[in-house]
Amino acid sequence: MDRVALRGLKARGHHGVLPKEREDGQTFLVDIVLGLDTRPAAADDDLAKTVHYGIVAEEVVAVVEGEPVDLVETLAERIAQVCLKHERVEEVEVCVHKPDAPITVPFDDVTVTIIRSRV
């Protein structure tokens, strides 16, 4: 399976279990890796035979900016489901970064990574 990756998609969301997270919001970063067969697109040089990663990027950002959820795990699942709605995408790996998580010790990042595929 071939891979198309988008790294560092940035959006502001109001996700989290704490009231301050819901009120103030914070920046989330998302990496996605889409699994699909790119051979038909390459053979015909045809965008319609692959996935339009610009559209996927817009949809992922819309999920992050959309309805708040408590858990980063839920956010990652919603992003995966949006990606899998694209006909040619067979598998997706989603990594959601929450670099401003409310943690009381020094840290660089918090991430949740999931892999989902068509069943």
Side-chain angles (χ1 to χ4, degrees):
M1 193 171 309
D2 303 318
R3 304 280 181 221
V4 174
L6 293 125
R7 307 249 188 238
L9 296 171
K10 186 183 292 190
R12 188 160 188 84
H14 293 264
H15 311 289
V17 295
L18 300 178
K20 184 168 177 50
E21 292 179 292
R22 290 295 183 104
E23 293 166 16
D24 297 345
Q26 60 192 290
T27 299
F28 291 84
L29 299 165
V30 179
D31 304 325
I32 60 172
V33 181
L34 306 169
L36 65 151
D37 184 358
T38 63
R39 288 176 293 192
D44 296 337
D45 198 27
D46 186 352
L47 177 61
K49 294 182 178 179
T50 187
V51 62
H52 192 308
Y53 52 78
I55 291 173
V56 173
E58 291 171 358
E59 293 171 349
V60 168
V61 166
V63 171
V64 176
E65 293 176 342
E67 181 184 348
V69 296
D70 287 344
L71 301 178
V72 177
E73 292 85 346
T74 306
L75 182 60
E77 185 66 36
R78 287 183 177 181
I79 292 168
Q81 294 310 313
V82 163
C83 294
L84 288 171
K85 286 183 180 178
H86 290 266
E87 176 183 351
R88 303 219 183 250
V89 175
E90 295 295 324
E91 180 180 274
V92 62
E93 178 179 311
V94 177
C95 180
V96 178
H97 301 256
K98 189 175 179 181
D100 298 321
I103 297 175
T104 60
V105 298
F107 73 102
D108 288 330
D109 198 5
V110 171
T111 65
V112 171
T113 302
I114 64 171
I115 298 172
R116 298 293 182 266
S117 61
R118 296 185 186 277
V119 178

PDB file of all heavy atoms in Angstrom, residues 32 34 60 63 74-85 89 92-94 114-117:
ATOM      1  N   ILE A  32      -1.408  12.942   9.518  1.00  0.00           N
ATOM      2  CA  ILE A  32      -2.158  11.807   8.987  1.00  0.00           C
ATOM      3  C   ILE A  32      -1.335  11.138   7.886  1.00  0.00           C
ATOM      4  O   ILE A  32      -0.608  11.801   7.150  1.00  0.00           O
ATOM      5  CB  ILE A  32      -3.565  12.188   8.464  1.00  0.00           C
ATOM      6  CG1 ILE A  32      -3.497  13.212   7.353  1.00  0.00           C
ATOM      7  CG2 ILE A  32      -4.455  12.664   9.579  1.00  0.00           C
ATOM      8  CD1 ILE A  32      -4.824  13.462   6.677  1.00  0.00           C
ATOM      9  N   LEU A  34      -2.246   8.482   4.893  1.00  0.00           N
ATOM     10  CA  LEU A  34      -3.321   7.804   4.179  1.00  0.00           C
ATOM     11  C   LEU A  34      -2.735   6.641   3.390  1.00  0.00           C
ATOM     12  O   LEU A  34      -1.751   6.816   2.659  1.00  0.00           O
ATOM     13  CB  LEU A  34      -4.005   8.778   3.216  1.00  0.00           C
ATOM     14  CG  LEU A  34      -4.514  10.086   3.835  1.00  0.00           C
ATOM     15  CD1 LEU A  34      -4.923  11.055   2.750  1.00  0.00           C
ATOM     16  CD2 LEU A  34      -5.655   9.807   4.786  1.00  0.00           C
ATOM     17  N   VAL A  60      -9.914  17.752   7.921  1.00  0.00           N
ATOM     18  CA  VAL A  60      -9.300  17.456   9.211  1.00  0.00           C
ATOM     19  C   VAL A  60      -9.312  18.699  10.100  1.00  0.00           C
ATOM     20  O   VAL A  60      -9.679  18.637  11.279  1.00  0.00           O
ATOM     21  CB  VAL A  60      -7.868  16.916   9.033  1.00  0.00           C
ATOM     22  CG1 VAL A  60      -7.124  16.872  10.349  1.00  0.00           C
ATOM     23  CG2 VAL A  60      -7.913  15.532   8.379  1.00  0.00           C
ATOM     24  N   VAL A  63     -12.695  19.316  11.560  1.00  0.00           N
ATOM     25  CA  VAL A  63     -13.009  18.446  12.699  1.00  0.00           C
ATOM     26  C   VAL A  63     -12.396  19.020  13.971  1.00  0.00           C
ATOM     27  O   VAL A  63     -13.050  19.110  15.014  1.00  0.00           O
ATOM     28  CB  VAL A  63     -12.522  16.999  12.465  1.00  0.00           C
ATOM     29  CG1 VAL A  63     -12.663  16.163  13.734  1.00  0.00           C
ATOM     30  CG2 VAL A  63     -13.288  16.355  11.320  1.00  0.00           C
ATOM     31  N   THR A  74     -11.073  10.528  21.122  1.00  0.00           N
ATOM     32  CA  THR A  74     -12.308  10.738  20.366  1.00  0.00           C
ATOM     33  C   THR A  74     -12.047  11.627  19.160  1.00  0.00           C
ATOM     34  O   THR A  74     -12.555  11.369  18.061  1.00  0.00           O
ATOM     35  CB  THR A  74     -13.389  11.377  21.269  1.00  0.00           C
ATOM     36  OG1 THR A  74     -13.550  10.566  22.425  1.00  0.00           O
ATOM     37  CG2 THR A  74     -14.711  11.511  20.540  1.00  0.00           C
ATOM     38  N   LEU A  75     -11.259  12.659  19.349  1.00  0.00           N
ATOM     39  CA  LEU A  75     -10.905  13.551  18.251  1.00  0.00           C
ATOM     40  C   LEU A  75     -10.174  12.778  17.153  1.00  0.00           C
ATOM     41  O   LEU A  75     -10.494  12.908  15.966  1.00  0.00           O
ATOM     42  CB  LEU A  75     -10.052  14.706  18.769  1.00  0.00           C
ATOM     43  CG  LEU A  75      -9.628  15.754  17.760  1.00  0.00           C
ATOM     44  CD1 LEU A  75     -10.829  16.430  17.104  1.00  0.00           C
ATOM     45  CD2 LEU A  75      -8.722  16.783  18.427  1.00  0.00           C
ATOM     46  N   ALA A  76      -9.222  11.941  17.522  1.00  0.00           N
ATOM     47  CA  ALA A  76      -8.481  11.136  16.547  1.00  0.00           C
ATOM     48  C   ALA A  76      -9.420  10.208  15.786  1.00  0.00           C
ATOM     49  O   ALA A  76      -9.301  10.049  14.562  1.00  0.00           O
ATOM     50  CB  ALA A  76      -7.387  10.339  17.248  1.00  0.00           C
ATOM     51  N   GLU A  77     -10.357   9.599  16.480  1.00  0.00           N
ATOM     52  CA  GLU A  77     -11.316   8.704  15.829  1.00  0.00           C
ATOM     53  C   GLU A  77     -12.171   9.457  14.816  1.00  0.00           C
ATOM     54  O   GLU A  77     -12.411   8.965  13.703  1.00  0.00           O
ATOM     55  CB  GLU A  77     -12.205   8.037  16.881  1.00  0.00           C
ATOM     56  CG  GLU A  77     -13.146   7.001  16.329  1.00  0.00           C
ATOM     57  CD  GLU A  77     -12.441   5.775  15.765  1.00  0.00           C
ATOM     58  OE1 GLU A  77     -11.405   5.361  16.321  1.00  0.00           O
ATOM     59  OE2 GLU A  77     -12.930   5.225  14.758  1.00  0.00           O
ATOM     60  N   ARG A  78     -12.628  10.633  15.168  1.00  0.00           N
ATOM     61  CA  ARG A  78     -13.436  11.436  14.234  1.00  0.00           C
ATOM     62  C   ARG A  78     -12.629  11.809  12.996  1.00  0.00           C
ATOM     63  O   ARG A  78     -13.142  11.790  11.874  1.00  0.00           O
ATOM     64  CB  ARG A  78     -13.960  12.692  14.925  1.00  0.00           C
ATOM     65  CG  ARG A  78     -15.061  12.385  15.915  1.00  0.00           C
ATOM     66  CD  ARG A  78     -15.623  13.635  16.527  1.00  0.00           C
ATOM     67  NE  ARG A  78     -16.720  13.302  17.428  1.00  0.00           N
ATOM     68  CZ  ARG A  78     -17.427  14.184  18.102  1.00  0.00           C
ATOM     69  NH1 ARG A  78     -17.146  15.475  17.989  1.00  0.00           N
ATOM     70  NH2 ARG A  78     -18.405  13.796  18.889  1.00  0.00           N
ATOM     71  N   ILE A  79     -11.390  12.153  13.192  1.00  0.00           N
ATOM     72  CA  ILE A  79     -10.520  12.491  12.059  1.00  0.00           C
ATOM     73  C   ILE A  79     -10.333  11.266  11.160  1.00  0.00           C
ATOM     74  O   ILE A  79     -10.419  11.358   9.930  1.00  0.00           O
ATOM     75  CB  ILE A  79      -9.169  13.042  12.557  1.00  0.00           C
ATOM     76  CG1 ILE A  79      -9.382  14.414  13.212  1.00  0.00           C
ATOM     77  CG2 ILE A  79      -8.157  13.108  11.416  1.00  0.00           C
ATOM     78  CD1 ILE A  79      -8.184  14.925  13.990  1.00  0.00           C
ATOM     79  N   ALA A  80     -10.103  10.114  11.760  1.00  0.00           N
ATOM     80  CA  ALA A  80      -9.926   8.886  10.973  1.00  0.00           C
ATOM     81  C   ALA A  80     -11.157   8.590  10.128  1.00  0.00           C
ATOM     82  O   ALA A  80     -11.042   8.229   8.949  1.00  0.00           O
ATOM     83  CB  ALA A  80      -9.613   7.711  11.901  1.00  0.00           C
ATOM     84  N   GLN A  81     -12.329   8.744  10.710  1.00  0.00           N
ATOM     85  CA  GLN A  81     -13.558   8.451   9.980  1.00  0.00           C
ATOM     86  C   GLN A  81     -13.758   9.402   8.800  1.00  0.00           C
ATOM     87  O   GLN A  81     -14.236   8.986   7.736  1.00  0.00           O
ATOM     88  CB  GLN A  81     -14.765   8.483  10.932  1.00  0.00           C
ATOM     89  CG  GLN A  81     -14.736   7.378  11.974  1.00  0.00           C
ATOM     90  CD  GLN A  81     -14.485   6.002  11.383  1.00  0.00           C
ATOM     91  OE1 GLN A  81     -15.094   5.597  10.400  1.00  0.00           O
ATOM     92  NE2 GLN A  81     -13.552   5.269  11.971  1.00  0.00           N
ATOM     93  N   VAL A  82     -13.380  10.668   8.961  1.00  0.00           N
ATOM     94  CA  VAL A  82     -13.463  11.625   7.850  1.00  0.00           C
ATOM     95  C   VAL A  82     -12.528  11.196   6.718  1.00  0.00           C
ATOM     96  O   VAL A  82     -12.895  11.237   5.544  1.00  0.00           O
ATOM     97  CB  VAL A  82     -13.125  13.057   8.348  1.00  0.00           C
ATOM     98  CG1 VAL A  82     -12.797  13.988   7.201  1.00  0.00           C
ATOM     99  CG2 VAL A  82     -14.279  13.611   9.158  1.00  0.00           C
ATOM    100  N   CYS A  83     -11.329  10.769   7.069  1.00  0.00           N
ATOM    101  CA  CYS A  83     -10.361  10.344   6.057  1.00  0.00           C
ATOM    102  C   CYS A  83     -10.835   9.100   5.312  1.00  0.00           C
ATOM    103  O   CYS A  83     -10.676   8.995   4.084  1.00  0.00           O
ATOM    104  CB  CYS A  83      -9.002  10.085   6.702  1.00  0.00           C
ATOM    105  SG  CYS A  83      -8.220  11.574   7.368  1.00  0.00           S
ATOM    106  N   LEU A  84     -11.432   8.163   6.027  1.00  0.00           N
ATOM    107  CA  LEU A  84     -11.881   6.920   5.409  1.00  0.00           C
ATOM    108  C   LEU A  84     -13.117   7.096   4.528  1.00  0.00           C
ATOM    109  O   LEU A  84     -13.472   6.188   3.771  1.00  0.00           O
ATOM    110  CB  LEU A  84     -12.138   5.856   6.477  1.00  0.00           C
ATOM    111  CG  LEU A  84     -10.877   5.278   7.123  1.00  0.00           C
ATOM    112  CD1 LEU A  84     -11.247   4.407   8.309  1.00  0.00           C
ATOM    113  CD2 LEU A  84     -10.038   4.514   6.115  1.00  0.00           C
ATOM    114  N   LYS A  85     -13.752   8.254   4.582  1.00  0.00           N
ATOM    115  CA  LYS A  85     -14.879   8.519   3.689  1.00  0.00           C
ATOM    116  C   LYS A  85     -14.419   8.729   2.254  1.00  0.00           C
ATOM    117  O   LYS A  85     -15.224   8.620   1.329  1.00  0.00           O
ATOM    118  CB  LYS A  85     -15.671   9.734   4.174  1.00  0.00           C
ATOM    119  CG  LYS A  85     -16.505   9.446   5.390  1.00  0.00           C
ATOM    120  CD  LYS A  85     -17.320  10.650   5.794  1.00  0.00           C
ATOM    121  CE  LYS A  85     -18.140  10.328   7.030  1.00  0.00           C
ATOM    122  NZ  LYS A  85     -18.918  11.489   7.489  1.00  0.00           N
ATOM    123  N   VAL A  89      -9.091   5.809  -0.101  1.00  0.00           N
ATOM    124  CA  VAL A  89      -8.322   5.619   1.130  1.00  0.00           C
ATOM    125  C   VAL A  89      -8.743   4.299   1.784  1.00  0.00           C
ATOM    126  O   VAL A  89      -9.903   4.119   2.132  1.00  0.00           O
ATOM    127  CB  VAL A  89      -8.509   6.802   2.107  1.00  0.00           C
ATOM    128  CG1 VAL A  89      -7.796   6.534   3.424  1.00  0.00           C
ATOM    129  CG2 VAL A  89      -8.016   8.093   1.470  1.00  0.00           C
ATOM    130  N   VAL A  92      -5.817   4.614   7.417  1.00  0.00           N
ATOM    131  CA  VAL A  92      -5.320   5.913   7.856  1.00  0.00           C
ATOM    132  C   VAL A  92      -4.663   5.771   9.223  1.00  0.00           C
ATOM    133  O   VAL A  92      -5.155   5.032  10.070  1.00  0.00           O
ATOM    134  CB  VAL A  92      -6.438   6.982   7.886  1.00  0.00           C
ATOM    135  CG1 VAL A  92      -7.536   6.618   8.882  1.00  0.00           C
ATOM    136  CG2 VAL A  92      -5.872   8.356   8.199  1.00  0.00           C
ATOM    137  N   GLU A  93      -3.552   6.452   9.366  1.00  0.00           N
ATOM    138  CA  GLU A  93      -2.919   6.615  10.674  1.00  0.00           C
ATOM    139  C   GLU A  93      -3.081   8.076  11.057  1.00  0.00           C
ATOM    140  O   GLU A  93      -2.742   8.972  10.273  1.00  0.00           O
ATOM    141  CB  GLU A  93      -1.441   6.254  10.616  1.00  0.00           C
ATOM    142  CG  GLU A  93      -0.733   6.461  11.941  1.00  0.00           C
ATOM    143  CD  GLU A  93       0.730   6.078  11.894  1.00  0.00           C
ATOM    144  OE1 GLU A  93       1.042   4.971  11.415  1.00  0.00           O
ATOM    145  OE2 GLU A  93       1.562   6.895  12.337  1.00  0.00           O
ATOM    146  N   VAL A  94      -3.613   8.309  12.231  1.00  0.00           N
ATOM    147  CA  VAL A  94      -3.851   9.666  12.727  1.00  0.00           C
ATOM    148  C   VAL A  94      -3.058   9.851  14.012  1.00  0.00           C
ATOM    149  O   VAL A  94      -3.180   9.041  14.927  1.00  0.00           O
ATOM    150  CB  VAL A  94      -5.353   9.903  13.017  1.00  0.00           C
ATOM    151  CG1 VAL A  94      -5.582  11.294  13.597  1.00  0.00           C
ATOM    152  CG2 VAL A  94      -6.197   9.689  11.774  1.00  0.00           C
ATOM    153  N   ILE A 114      -3.665   6.593  16.308  1.00  0.00           N
ATOM    154  CA  ILE A 114      -4.532   5.456  16.016  1.00  0.00           C
ATOM    155  C   ILE A 114      -4.355   5.059  14.555  1.00  0.00           C
ATOM    156  O   ILE A 114      -3.956   5.885  13.727  1.00  0.00           O
ATOM    157  CB  ILE A 114      -6.023   5.750  16.303  1.00  0.00           C
ATOM    158  CG1 ILE A 114      -6.567   6.858  15.396  1.00  0.00           C
ATOM    159  CG2 ILE A 114      -6.217   6.125  17.780  1.00  0.00           C
ATOM    160  CD1 ILE A 114      -8.081   7.035  15.477  1.00  0.00           C
ATOM    161  N   ILE A 115      -4.658   3.825  14.249  1.00  0.00           N
ATOM    162  CA  ILE A 115      -4.665   3.329  12.870  1.00  0.00           C
ATOM    163  C   ILE A 115      -6.028   2.689  12.641  1.00  0.00           C
ATOM    164  O   ILE A 115      -6.471   1.849  13.434  1.00  0.00           O
ATOM    165  CB  ILE A 115      -3.547   2.300  12.635  1.00  0.00           C
ATOM    166  CG1 ILE A 115      -2.189   2.957  12.852  1.00  0.00           C
ATOM    167  CG2 ILE A 115      -3.652   1.712  11.223  1.00  0.00           C
ATOM    168  CD1 ILE A 115      -1.024   1.978  12.825  1.00  0.00           C
ATOM    169  N   ARG A 116      -6.678   3.108  11.559  1.00  0.00           N
ATOM    170  CA  ARG A 116      -7.985   2.563  11.222  1.00  0.00           C
ATOM    171  C   ARG A 116      -7.975   2.176   9.747  1.00  0.00           C
ATOM    172  O   ARG A 116      -7.283   2.795   8.935  1.00  0.00           O
ATOM    173  CB  ARG A 116      -9.111   3.586  11.463  1.00  0.00           C
ATOM    174  CG  ARG A 116      -9.258   4.022  12.910  1.00  0.00           C
ATOM    175  CD  ARG A 116      -9.742   2.877  13.784  1.00  0.00           C
ATOM    176  NE  ARG A 116      -9.936   3.289  15.159  1.00  0.00           N
ATOM    177  CZ  ARG A 116      -9.011   3.169  16.120  1.00  0.00           C
ATOM    178  NH1 ARG A 116      -7.836   2.645  15.862  1.00  0.00           N
ATOM    179  NH2 ARG A 116      -9.274   3.551  17.345  1.00  0.00           N
ATOM    180  N   SER A 117      -8.768   1.155   9.414  1.00  0.00           N
ATOM    181  CA  SER A 117      -8.869   0.729   8.019  1.00  0.00           C
ATOM    182  C   SER A 117     -10.303   0.344   7.721  1.00  0.00           C
ATOM    183  O   SER A 117     -11.116   0.150   8.619  1.00  0.00           O
ATOM    184  CB  SER A 117      -7.916  -0.431   7.739  1.00  0.00           C
ATOM    185  OG  SER A 117      -8.239  -1.533   8.546  1.00  0.00           O
TER     186      SER A 117
END
